[in-house]
Amino acid sequence: MKNGKKQTRLSGVERTDQIYSVAAQMICERGFDATSMSDIADAVGITKAGVYHFIPSKKELLFAIMSYGMDTLEAVVIKPAREIADAEERLRAIITSHSMLIARSSNDEGHSPVTILVEEELGLSPAHRRKLRQRKRVYVDLIRSTLEEMKAEGKLKDVDVTAAAFSLLGMILWVARWFRPDGKLSREQVAEEICKIAFGGLLQIQANGKRKNTEQTE
Amino acid sequence: MKNGKKQTRLSGVERTDQIYSVAAQMICERGFDATSMSDIADAVGITKAGVYHFIPSKKELLFAIMSYGMDTLEAVVIKPAREIADAEERLRAIITSHSMLIARSSNDEGHSPVTILVEEELGLSPAHRRKLRQRKRVYVDLIRSTLEEMKAEGKLKDVDVTAAAFSLLGMILWVARWFRPDGKLSREQVAEEICKIAFGGLLQIQANGKRKNTEQTE
DNA sequence: CGCAACTTACCGACCGGTCAGCAAACTACC
DNA sequence: GGTAGTTTGCTGACCGGTCGGTAAGTTGCG
């Protein structure tokens, strides 16, 4: 009686792709440290030594996965946004596409290469960390400069641009932690709500004369 | 020549406290998996077996630290907030105190028990995870019900309460990742900016007749 | 003396990673 | 179209090291 698992021999590129994709999924679900190379090998259906035939080291594997996540972010969010001339419209596009990207790739307890970008920064070598940080910086700069542009147009409230940029990112990235595909809000609705909150805030504008005081601390 | 490190014998409670506090700091800085029990023992100045004389296991250690973080959150943010009758004021207090708590305990690259609450959920046993999740849930429910209350008072825009609650949390918790004590914004300023953005949003209200369209997607 | 605070020595498990070699698949040549 | 030679996908056995955790003994304070 043969084992049900057929031990098909795959071509180099096929196997390599498979390893990356399986590893990505496992690392996203269980964390980098909690995923051993043997685990990955088992899931792929070959031995650990077999895995090392295709990938150089565990750290390179993580770096490759996170780079892929960054590639996705650039392709889906950054590049399309750059082609939008109007700053406000551009910001709206960034919030929408990024939120939806994260919501798309987050199932229960599991994350995706796009979300590991945030979670697994440890475990990278300093050189790798530096490379990814630089790519992230470019993205933050895009958001910041977009806000700056809006400020110049008089479209932005009197808020600190850095704090605003990171607050936006916080709202967006946090989606990975609470969004559930089977919940009452769809991906599109989540993106829409975040846009509403980011642009308009929570407080209802008072119709009558007495304005809401947003400044008070005491 | 004696080693500079004096090997003072401490009392049980003293040593236990020391272990927890040193471990907390190390785990916050380097991550749970990257911090071995020997590392902690070395930092405390005793052997690993000595550490195990006081604490039952590594997982219990993490759980205790995270519980302490949750205690802090409850004492500094939740309990004071509950004593505020007005919903809007309560929400403002929550945002301010929580932001400042996180900013206070985050130095470069290092975090605190309050911030590990978010980062190290893996590494907990299912039972421990459940306990902490329940305590977090209570906090989320406080925010959500506060928003609900504001909605009933007509003070809240037409936004989904769940999305709003989590967006708030996202903004606040993300502070741990970007705030630097030596940066241009003080803790108080960060809290203030987040309040402004959360309550008033980013867009300037147009003075003239044509209102900003916050709904458009196309 | 007695007990609490420790140390020394050690365990088994598992980690990331290596290496020699095997067998299937592809190529080259007749 | 068979067969020899080469490449390539992959295995089994194993490495040094580190991990969390333990048992038994030692030290020193009250």
mmCIF file of all heavy atoms in Angstrom, chain D residues 2-19:
data_model
loop_
_atom_site.group_PDB
_atom_site.id
_atom_site.type_symbol
_atom_site.label_atom_id
_atom_site.label_comp_id
_atom_site.label_asym_id
_atom_site.label_seq_id
_atom_site.Cartn_x
_atom_site.Cartn_y
_atom_site.Cartn_z
ATOM 1 P P DG D 2 15.304 0.713 -27.772
ATOM 2 O OP1 DG D 2 14.931 -0.491 -28.521
ATOM 3 O OP2 DG D 2 14.296 1.448 -26.985
ATOM 4 O "O5'" DG D 2 16.543 0.367 -26.790
ATOM 5 C "C5'" DG D 2 17.550 -0.500 -27.252
ATOM 6 C "C4'" DG D 2 18.901 0.156 -27.083
ATOM 7 O "O4'" DG D 2 18.893 1.500 -27.615
ATOM 8 C "C3'" DG D 2 19.386 0.287 -25.620
ATOM 9 O "O3'" DG D 2 20.647 -0.325 -25.529
ATOM 10 C "C2'" DG D 2 19.450 1.794 -25.391
ATOM 11 C "C1'" DG D 2 19.745 2.296 -26.807
ATOM 12 N N9 DG D 2 19.454 3.707 -27.025
ATOM 13 C C8 DG D 2 18.216 4.309 -27.047
ATOM 14 N N7 DG D 2 18.273 5.596 -27.298
ATOM 15 C C5 DG D 2 19.635 5.855 -27.445
ATOM 16 C C6 DG D 2 20.301 7.083 -27.726
ATOM 17 O O6 DG D 2 19.809 8.202 -27.902
ATOM 18 N N1 DG D 2 21.687 6.902 -27.797
ATOM 19 C C2 DG D 2 22.337 5.702 -27.617
ATOM 20 N N2 DG D 2 23.664 5.730 -27.722
ATOM 21 N N3 DG D 2 21.735 4.559 -27.357
ATOM 22 C C4 DG D 2 20.376 4.707 -27.278
ATOM 23 P P DT D 3 21.094 -1.009 -24.157
ATOM 24 O OP1 DT D 3 21.668 -2.350 -24.419
ATOM 25 O OP2 DT D 3 19.974 -0.855 -23.210
ATOM 26 O "O5'" DT D 3 22.279 -0.041 -23.735
ATOM 27 C "C5'" DT D 3 23.291 0.304 -24.680
ATOM 28 C "C4'" DT D 3 24.001 1.571 -24.247
ATOM 29 O "O4'" DT D 3 23.261 2.753 -24.667
ATOM 30 C "C3'" DT D 3 24.194 1.739 -22.734
ATOM 31 O "O3'" DT D 3 25.484 2.232 -22.499
ATOM 32 C "C2'" DT D 3 23.169 2.785 -22.376
ATOM 33 C "C1'" DT D 3 23.300 3.681 -23.604
ATOM 34 N N1 DT D 3 22.229 4.703 -23.791
ATOM 35 C C2 DT D 3 22.604 5.983 -24.180
ATOM 36 O O2 DT D 3 23.754 6.299 -24.359
ATOM 37 N N3 DT D 3 21.569 6.843 -24.341
ATOM 38 C C4 DT D 3 20.201 6.587 -24.153
ATOM 39 O O4 DT D 3 19.363 7.468 -24.324
ATOM 40 C C5 DT D 3 19.893 5.247 -23.754
ATOM 41 C C7 DT D 3 18.462 4.864 -23.514
ATOM 42 C C6 DT D 3 20.904 4.370 -23.583
ATOM 43 P P DA D 4 26.432 1.479 -21.452
ATOM 44 O OP1 DA D 4 27.168 0.377 -22.110
ATOM 45 O OP2 DA D 4 25.633 1.217 -20.243
ATOM 46 O "O5'" DA D 4 27.495 2.643 -21.115
ATOM 47 C "C5'" DA D 4 28.250 3.231 -22.158
ATOM 48 C "C4'" DA D 4 28.348 4.732 -21.957
ATOM 49 O "O4'" DA D 4 27.049 5.334 -22.222
ATOM 50 C "C3'" DA D 4 28.757 5.164 -20.548
ATOM 51 O "O3'" DA D 4 29.878 6.028 -20.642
ATOM 52 C "C2'" DA D 4 27.528 5.869 -20.003
ATOM 53 C "C1'" DA D 4 26.835 6.367 -21.267
ATOM 54 N N9 DA D 4 25.382 6.557 -21.130
ATOM 55 C C8 DA D 4 24.451 5.625 -20.730
ATOM 56 N N7 DA D 4 23.221 6.071 -20.723
ATOM 57 C C5 DA D 4 23.337 7.385 -21.135
ATOM 58 C C6 DA D 4 22.385 8.417 -21.345
ATOM 59 N N6 DA D 4 21.077 8.250 -21.136
ATOM 60 N N1 DA D 4 22.842 9.613 -21.759
ATOM 61 C C2 DA D 4 24.166 9.765 -21.962
ATOM 62 N N3 DA D 4 25.144 8.883 -21.813
ATOM 63 C C4 DA D 4 24.662 7.705 -21.399
ATOM 64 P P DG D 5 30.572 6.547 -19.348
ATOM 65 O OP1 DG D 5 32.009 6.669 -19.624
ATOM 66 O OP2 DG D 5 30.092 5.796 -18.165
ATOM 67 O "O5'" DG D 5 29.959 8.017 -19.287
ATOM 68 C "C5'" DG D 5 30.110 8.905 -20.412
ATOM 69 C "C4'" DG D 5 29.513 10.261 -20.081
ATOM 70 O "O4'" DG D 5 28.063 10.166 -20.080
ATOM 71 C "C3'" DG D 5 29.898 10.794 -18.700
ATOM 72 O "O3'" DG D 5 30.165 12.202 -18.837
ATOM 73 C "C2'" DG D 5 28.673 10.533 -17.842
ATOM 74 C "C1'" DG D 5 27.541 10.671 -18.858
ATOM 75 N N9 DG D 5 26.345 9.875 -18.546
ATOM 76 C C8 DG D 5 26.299 8.569 -18.120
ATOM 77 N N7 DG D 5 25.081 8.131 -17.940
ATOM 78 C C5 DG D 5 24.272 9.219 -18.275
ATOM 79 C C6 DG D 5 22.864 9.353 -18.272
ATOM 80 O O6 DG D 5 22.008 8.511 -17.983
ATOM 81 N N1 DG D 5 22.468 10.630 -18.673
ATOM 82 C C2 DG D 5 23.314 11.637 -19.018
ATOM 83 N N2 DG D 5 22.756 12.794 -19.369
ATOM 84 N N3 DG D 5 24.636 11.538 -19.032
ATOM 85 C C4 DG D 5 25.035 10.305 -18.640
ATOM 86 P P DT D 6 30.859 12.997 -17.670
ATOM 87 O OP1 DT D 6 31.999 13.733 -18.251
ATOM 88 O OP2 DT D 6 31.067 12.108 -16.510
ATOM 89 O "O5'" DT D 6 29.726 14.043 -17.318
ATOM 90 C "C5'" DT D 6 29.067 14.757 -18.396
ATOM 91 C "C4'" DT D 6 27.780 15.357 -17.890
ATOM 92 O "O4'" DT D 6 26.766 14.342 -17.723
ATOM 93 C "C3'" DT D 6 27.881 16.089 -16.550
ATOM 94 O "O3'" DT D 6 27.452 17.436 -16.754
ATOM 95 C "C2'" DT D 6 26.947 15.310 -15.622
ATOM 96 C "C1'" DT D 6 25.966 14.696 -16.612
ATOM 97 N N1 DT D 6 25.270 13.464 -16.134
ATOM 98 C C2 DT D 6 23.889 13.423 -16.140
ATOM 99 O O2 DT D 6 23.201 14.338 -16.517
ATOM 100 N N3 DT D 6 23.351 12.232 -15.696
ATOM 101 C C4 DT D 6 24.031 11.119 -15.251
ATOM 102 O O4 DT D 6 23.433 10.112 -14.886
ATOM 103 C C5 DT D 6 25.470 11.236 -15.260
ATOM 104 C C7 DT D 6 26.308 10.098 -14.792
ATOM 105 C C6 DT D 6 26.035 12.387 -15.701
ATOM 106 P P DT D 7 27.786 18.567 -15.696
ATOM 107 O OP1 DT D 7 28.347 19.725 -16.418
ATOM 108 O OP2 DT D 7 28.512 17.969 -14.556
ATOM 109 O "O5'" DT D 7 26.318 18.939 -15.222
ATOM 110 C "C5'" DT D 7 25.308 19.139 -16.215
ATOM 111 C "C4'" DT D 7 23.956 18.846 -15.626
ATOM 112 O "O4'" DT D 7 23.832 17.461 -15.251
ATOM 113 C "C3'" DT D 7 23.610 19.650 -14.359
ATOM 114 O "O3'" DT D 7 22.498 20.453 -14.655
ATOM 115 C "C2'" DT D 7 23.325 18.576 -13.310
ATOM 116 C "C1'" DT D 7 22.920 17.398 -14.177
ATOM 117 N N1 DT D 7 23.023 16.043 -13.572
ATOM 118 C C2 DT D 7 21.882 15.300 -13.402
ATOM 119 O O2 DT D 7 20.777 15.683 -13.703
ATOM 120 N N3 DT D 7 22.083 14.048 -12.858
ATOM 121 C C4 DT D 7 23.283 13.496 -12.465
ATOM 122 O O4 DT D 7 23.333 12.371 -11.989
ATOM 123 C C5 DT D 7 24.440 14.336 -12.662
ATOM 124 C C7 DT D 7 25.788 13.834 -12.273
ATOM 125 C C6 DT D 7 24.264 15.553 -13.210
ATOM 126 P P DT D 8 21.991 21.572 -13.671
ATOM 127 O OP1 DT D 8 21.337 22.606 -14.482
ATOM 128 O OP2 DT D 8 23.111 21.890 -12.773
ATOM 129 O "O5'" DT D 8 20.873 20.804 -12.841
ATOM 130 C "C5'" DT D 8 19.829 20.127 -13.540
ATOM 131 C "C4'" DT D 8 18.913 19.466 -12.542
ATOM 132 O "O4'" DT D 8 19.445 18.182 -12.121
ATOM 133 C "C3'" DT D 8 18.708 20.253 -11.258
ATOM 134 O "O3'" DT D 8 17.356 20.121 -10.888
ATOM 135 C "C2'" DT D 8 19.615 19.540 -10.264
ATOM 136 C "C1'" DT D 8 19.415 18.094 -10.725
ATOM 137 N N1 DT D 8 20.454 17.119 -10.319
ATOM 138 C C2 DT D 8 20.086 15.812 -10.077
ATOM 139 O O2 DT D 8 18.944 15.424 -10.186
ATOM 140 N N3 DT D 8 21.113 14.981 -9.727
ATOM 141 C C4 DT D 8 22.450 15.317 -9.577
ATOM 142 O O4 DT D 8 23.277 14.478 -9.253
ATOM 143 C C5 DT D 8 22.758 16.697 -9.839
ATOM 144 C C7 DT D 8 24.181 17.167 -9.716
ATOM 145 C C6 DT D 8 21.768 17.525 -10.192
ATOM 146 P P DG D 9 16.568 21.137 -10.014
ATOM 147 O OP1 DG D 9 15.613 21.862 -10.870
ATOM 148 O OP2 DG D 9 17.543 21.879 -9.175
ATOM 149 O "O5'" DG D 9 15.730 20.152 -9.076
ATOM 150 C "C5'" DG D 9 14.816 19.234 -9.688
ATOM 151 C "C4'" DG D 9 14.561 18.102 -8.723
ATOM 152 O "O4'" DG D 9 15.785 17.356 -8.520
ATOM 153 C "C3'" DG D 9 14.101 18.539 -7.334
ATOM 154 O "O3'" DG D 9 13.008 17.716 -6.932
ATOM 155 C "C2'" DG D 9 15.334 18.329 -6.458
ATOM 156 C "C1'" DG D 9 16.025 17.171 -7.145
ATOM 157 N N9 DG D 9 17.470 17.123 -6.974
ATOM 158 C C8 DG D 9 18.365 18.154 -7.124
ATOM 159 N N7 DG D 9 19.606 17.793 -6.914
ATOM 160 C C5 DG D 9 19.528 16.439 -6.598
ATOM 161 C C6 DG D 9 20.553 15.511 -6.278
ATOM 162 O O6 DG D 9 21.762 15.697 -6.191
ATOM 163 N N1 DG D 9 20.028 14.244 -6.031
ATOM 164 C C2 DG D 9 18.691 13.926 -6.093
ATOM 165 N N2 DG D 9 18.394 12.647 -5.822
ATOM 166 N N3 DG D 9 17.732 14.777 -6.393
ATOM 167 C C4 DG D 9 18.221 16.013 -6.635
ATOM 168 P P DC D 10 12.264 18.092 -5.536
ATOM 169 O OP1 DC D 10 10.914 17.513 -5.631
ATOM 170 O OP2 DC D 10 12.441 19.513 -5.210
ATOM 171 O "O5'" DC D 10 13.078 17.213 -4.498
ATOM 172 C "C5'" DC D 10 13.163 15.793 -4.719
ATOM 173 C "C4'" DC D 10 14.166 15.191 -3.781
ATOM 174 O "O4'" DC D 10 15.504 15.600 -4.110
ATOM 175 C "C3'" DC D 10 14.018 15.535 -2.303
ATOM 176 O "O3'" DC D 10 13.260 14.509 -1.670
ATOM 177 C "C2'" DC D 10 15.470 15.615 -1.801
ATOM 178 C "C1'" DC D 10 16.298 15.228 -3.016
ATOM 179 N N1 DC D 10 17.628 15.896 -3.112
ATOM 180 C C2 DC D 10 18.776 15.150 -2.862
ATOM 181 O O2 DC D 10 18.671 13.950 -2.578
ATOM 182 N N3 DC D 10 19.990 15.740 -2.955
ATOM 183 C C4 DC D 10 20.080 17.039 -3.271
ATOM 184 N N4 DC D 10 21.307 17.590 -3.349
ATOM 185 C C5 DC D 10 18.921 17.836 -3.528
ATOM 186 C C6 DC D 10 17.719 17.229 -3.434
ATOM 187 P P DT D 11 13.087 14.478 -0.110
ATOM 188 O OP1 DT D 11 11.774 13.870 0.166
ATOM 189 O OP2 DT D 11 13.439 15.783 0.468
ATOM 190 O "O5'" DT D 11 14.200 13.419 0.295
ATOM 191 C "C5'" DT D 11 14.240 12.143 -0.345
ATOM 192 C "C4'" DT D 11 15.321 11.282 0.291
ATOM 193 O "O4'" DT D 11 16.625 11.843 -0.012
ATOM 194 C "C3'" DT D 11 15.235 11.181 1.812
ATOM 195 O "O3'" DT D 11 15.360 9.814 2.182
ATOM 196 C "C2'" DT D 11 16.404 12.031 2.306
ATOM 197 C "C1'" DT D 11 17.405 11.926 1.167
ATOM 198 N N1 DT D 11 18.287 13.107 1.025
ATOM 199 C C2 DT D 11 19.651 12.955 1.154
ATOM 200 O O2 DT D 11 20.183 11.892 1.399
ATOM 201 N N3 DT D 11 20.377 14.111 0.977
ATOM 202 C C4 DT D 11 19.883 15.374 0.684
ATOM 203 O O4 DT D 11 20.627 16.338 0.548
ATOM 204 C C5 DT D 11 18.450 15.467 0.568
ATOM 205 C C7 DT D 11 17.807 16.780 0.263
ATOM 206 C C6 DT D 11 17.726 14.345 0.741
ATOM 207 P P DG D 12 14.825 9.320 3.582
ATOM 208 O OP1 DG D 12 14.082 8.068 3.349
ATOM 209 O OP2 DG D 12 14.183 10.444 4.281
ATOM 210 O "O5'" DG D 12 16.191 8.962 4.335
ATOM 211 C "C5'" DG D 12 17.322 8.505 3.584
ATOM 212 C "C4'" DG D 12 18.484 8.294 4.529
ATOM 213 O "O4'" DG D 12 19.391 9.426 4.421
ATOM 214 C "C3'" DG D 12 18.165 8.200 6.019
ATOM 215 O "O3'" DG D 12 19.094 7.314 6.619
ATOM 216 C "C2'" DG D 12 18.310 9.634 6.502
ATOM 217 C "C1'" DG D 12 19.444 10.149 5.634
ATOM 218 N N9 DG D 12 19.352 11.561 5.288
ATOM 219 C C8 DG D 12 18.214 12.332 5.211
ATOM 220 N N7 DG D 12 18.439 13.562 4.855
ATOM 221 C C5 DG D 12 19.820 13.622 4.672
ATOM 222 C C6 DG D 12 20.637 14.695 4.289
ATOM 223 O O6 DG D 12 20.313 15.854 3.998
ATOM 224 N N1 DG D 12 21.984 14.326 4.217
ATOM 225 C C2 DG D 12 22.460 13.060 4.496
ATOM 226 N N2 DG D 12 23.773 12.889 4.375
ATOM 227 N N3 DG D 12 21.697 12.038 4.864
ATOM 228 C C4 DG D 12 20.387 12.391 4.935
ATOM 229 P P DA D 13 19.072 6.945 8.152
ATOM 230 O OP1 DA D 13 18.953 5.475 8.265
ATOM 231 O OP2 DA D 13 18.077 7.814 8.840
ATOM 232 O "O5'" DA D 13 20.541 7.355 8.635
ATOM 233 C "C5'" DA D 13 21.603 7.514 7.687
ATOM 234 C "C4'" DA D 13 22.632 8.482 8.245
ATOM 235 O "O4'" DA D 13 22.372 9.827 7.760
ATOM 236 C "C3'" DA D 13 22.659 8.574 9.774
ATOM 237 O "O3'" DA D 13 23.997 8.424 10.207
ATOM 238 C "C2'" DA D 13 22.067 9.947 10.062
ATOM 239 C "C1'" DA D 13 22.509 10.736 8.838
ATOM 240 N N9 DA D 13 21.687 11.918 8.559
ATOM 241 C C8 DA D 13 20.325 12.030 8.662
ATOM 242 N N7 DA D 13 19.863 13.220 8.354
ATOM 243 C C5 DA D 13 21.001 13.946 8.020
ATOM 244 C C6 DA D 13 21.195 15.269 7.607
ATOM 245 N N6 DA D 13 20.196 16.139 7.448
ATOM 246 N N1 DA D 13 22.460 15.678 7.352
ATOM 247 C C2 DA D 13 23.454 14.796 7.510
ATOM 248 N N3 DA D 13 23.398 13.525 7.901
ATOM 249 C C4 DA D 13 22.134 13.154 8.143
ATOM 250 P P DC D 14 24.404 8.413 11.743
ATOM 251 O OP1 DC D 14 25.566 7.506 11.874
ATOM 252 O OP2 DC D 14 23.189 8.209 12.550
ATOM 253 O "O5'" DC D 14 24.921 9.895 11.956
ATOM 254 C "C5'" DC D 14 25.784 10.485 10.967
ATOM 255 C "C4'" DC D 14 25.869 11.965 11.210
ATOM 256 O "O4'" DC D 14 24.683 12.629 10.723
ATOM 257 C "C3'" DC D 14 25.989 12.380 12.687
ATOM 258 O "O3'" DC D 14 27.265 12.923 12.919
ATOM 259 C "C2'" DC D 14 24.878 13.387 12.872
ATOM 260 C "C1'" DC D 14 24.577 13.834 11.452
ATOM 261 N N1 DC D 14 23.220 14.425 11.293
ATOM 262 C C2 DC D 14 23.090 15.738 10.816
ATOM 263 O O2 DC D 14 24.107 16.377 10.525
ATOM 264 N N3 DC D 14 21.856 16.286 10.701
ATOM 265 C C4 DC D 14 20.784 15.560 11.024
ATOM 266 N N4 DC D 14 19.593 16.141 10.884
ATOM 267 C C5 DC D 14 20.890 14.226 11.503
ATOM 268 C C6 DC D 14 22.110 13.701 11.623
ATOM 269 P P DC D 15 27.808 13.156 14.445
ATOM 270 O OP1 DC D 15 29.027 12.348 14.630
ATOM 271 O OP2 DC D 15 26.668 13.002 15.375
ATOM 272 O "O5'" DC D 15 28.223 14.688 14.403
ATOM 273 C "C5'" DC D 15 28.792 15.257 13.227
ATOM 274 C "C4'" DC D 15 28.598 16.751 13.264
ATOM 275 O "O4'" DC D 15 27.288 17.086 12.756
ATOM 276 C "C3'" DC D 15 28.655 17.298 14.671
ATOM 277 O "O3'" DC D 15 29.903 17.937 14.878
ATOM 278 C "C2'" DC D 15 27.503 18.291 14.779
ATOM 279 C "C1'" DC D 15 26.793 18.219 13.446
ATOM 280 N N1 DC D 15 25.319 18.073 13.602
ATOM 281 C C2 DC D 15 24.482 19.177 13.369
ATOM 282 O O2 DC D 15 24.998 20.259 13.049
ATOM 283 N N3 DC D 15 23.136 19.031 13.527
ATOM 284 C C4 DC D 15 22.637 17.846 13.877
ATOM 285 N N4 DC D 15 21.315 17.748 14.001
ATOM 286 C C5 DC D 15 23.467 16.717 14.110
ATOM 287 C C6 DC D 15 24.790 16.870 13.966
ATOM 288 P P DG D 16 30.482 17.955 16.403
ATOM 289 O OP1 DG D 16 31.942 17.734 16.327
ATOM 290 O OP2 DG D 16 29.644 17.109 17.278
ATOM 291 O "O5'" DG D 16 30.219 19.476 16.779
ATOM 292 C "C5'" DG D 16 30.475 20.508 15.827
ATOM 293 C "C4'" DG D 16 29.674 21.744 16.179
ATOM 294 O "O4'" DG D 16 28.264 21.491 15.949
ATOM 295 C "C3'" DG D 16 29.797 22.177 17.648
ATOM 296 O "O3'" DG D 16 29.922 23.584 17.675
ATOM 297 C "C2'" DG D 16 28.499 21.667 18.277
ATOM 298 C "C1'" DG D 16 27.525 21.781 17.130
ATOM 299 N N9 DG D 16 26.397 20.840 17.180
ATOM 300 C C8 DG D 16 26.437 19.499 17.492
ATOM 301 N N7 DG D 16 25.275 18.910 17.433
ATOM 302 C C5 DG D 16 24.398 19.921 17.073
ATOM 303 C C6 DG D 16 22.993 19.889 16.861
ATOM 304 O O6 DG D 16 22.221 18.928 16.946
ATOM 305 N N1 DG D 16 22.496 21.153 16.507
ATOM 306 C C2 DG D 16 23.254 22.278 16.375
ATOM 307 N N2 DG D 16 22.603 23.387 16.025
ATOM 308 N N3 DG D 16 24.573 22.325 16.558
ATOM 309 C C4 DG D 16 25.072 21.118 16.911
ATOM 310 P P DG D 17 30.161 24.306 19.106
ATOM 311 O OP1 DG D 17 31.026 25.470 18.840
ATOM 312 O OP2 DG D 17 30.516 23.295 20.133
ATOM 313 O "O5'" DG D 17 28.700 24.854 19.410
ATOM 314 C "C5'" DG D 17 27.992 25.508 18.352
ATOM 315 C "C4'" DG D 17 26.589 25.831 18.798
ATOM 316 O "O4'" DG D 17 25.754 24.665 18.661
ATOM 317 C "C3'" DG D 17 26.477 26.287 20.262
ATOM 318 O "O3'" DG D 17 25.836 27.559 20.290
ATOM 319 C "C2'" DG D 17 25.646 25.193 20.925
ATOM 320 C "C1'" DG D 17 24.874 24.590 19.756
ATOM 321 N N9 DG D 17 24.522 23.178 19.965
ATOM 322 C C8 DG D 17 25.367 22.164 20.308
ATOM 323 N N7 DG D 17 24.773 21.010 20.434
ATOM 324 C C5 DG D 17 23.442 21.287 20.169
ATOM 325 C C6 DG D 17 22.317 20.427 20.151
ATOM 326 O O6 DG D 17 22.264 19.212 20.384
ATOM 327 N N1 DG D 17 21.153 21.117 19.838
ATOM 328 C C2 DG D 17 21.087 22.457 19.571
ATOM 329 N N2 DG D 17 19.886 22.949 19.291
ATOM 330 N N3 DG D 17 22.122 23.275 19.570
ATOM 331 C C4 DG D 17 23.270 22.617 19.882
ATOM 332 P P DT D 18 25.816 28.412 21.611
ATOM 333 O OP1 DT D 18 26.172 29.789 21.222
ATOM 334 O OP2 DT D 18 26.536 27.705 22.693
ATOM 335 O "O5'" DT D 18 24.267 28.394 21.973
ATOM 336 C "C5'" DT D 18 23.305 28.583 20.943
ATOM 337 C "C4'" DT D 18 21.947 28.152 21.447
ATOM 338 O "O4'" DT D 18 21.863 26.711 21.418
ATOM 339 C "C3'" DT D 18 21.678 28.564 22.904
ATOM 340 O "O3'" DT D 18 20.481 29.309 22.949
ATOM 341 C "C2'" DT D 18 21.574 27.229 23.641
ATOM 342 C "C1'" DT D 18 21.131 26.288 22.538
ATOM 343 N N1 DT D 18 21.440 24.857 22.798
ATOM 344 C C2 DT D 18 20.442 23.923 22.708
ATOM 345 O O2 DT D 18 19.293 24.205 22.408
ATOM 346 N N3 DT D 18 20.819 22.640 22.964
ATOM 347 C C4 DT D 18 22.080 22.205 23.314
ATOM 348 O O4 DT D 18 22.301 21.007 23.521
ATOM 349 C C5 DT D 18 23.089 23.227 23.414
ATOM 350 C C7 DT D 18 24.483 22.864 23.796
ATOM 351 C C6 DT D 18 22.726 24.491 23.146
ATOM 352 P P DC D 19 20.034 30.079 24.253
ATOM 353 O OP1 DC D 19 19.972 31.495 23.884
ATOM 354 O OP2 DC D 19 20.870 29.619 25.384
ATOM 355 O "O5'" DC D 19 18.561 29.545 24.502
ATOM 356 C "C5'" DC D 19 17.740 29.226 23.391
ATOM 357 C "C4'" DC D 19 16.817 28.075 23.735
ATOM 358 O "O4'" DC D 19 17.530 26.828 23.624
ATOM 359 C "C3'" DC D 19 16.326 28.082 25.170
ATOM 360 O "O3'" DC D 19 15.179 28.908 25.256
ATOM 361 C "C2'" DC D 19 15.988 26.612 25.401
ATOM 362 C "C1'" DC D 19 16.902 25.866 24.450
ATOM 363 N N1 DC D 19 17.984 25.065 25.112
ATOM 364 C C2 DC D 19 17.769 23.717 25.411
ATOM 365 O O2 DC D 19 16.659 23.229 25.151
ATOM 366 N N3 DC D 19 18.759 22.996 25.987
ATOM 367 C C4 DC D 19 19.941 23.581 26.249
ATOM 368 N N4 DC D 19 20.892 22.832 26.800
ATOM 369 C C5 DC D 19 20.174 24.963 25.951
ATOM 370 C C6 DC D 19 19.184 25.658 25.400
#
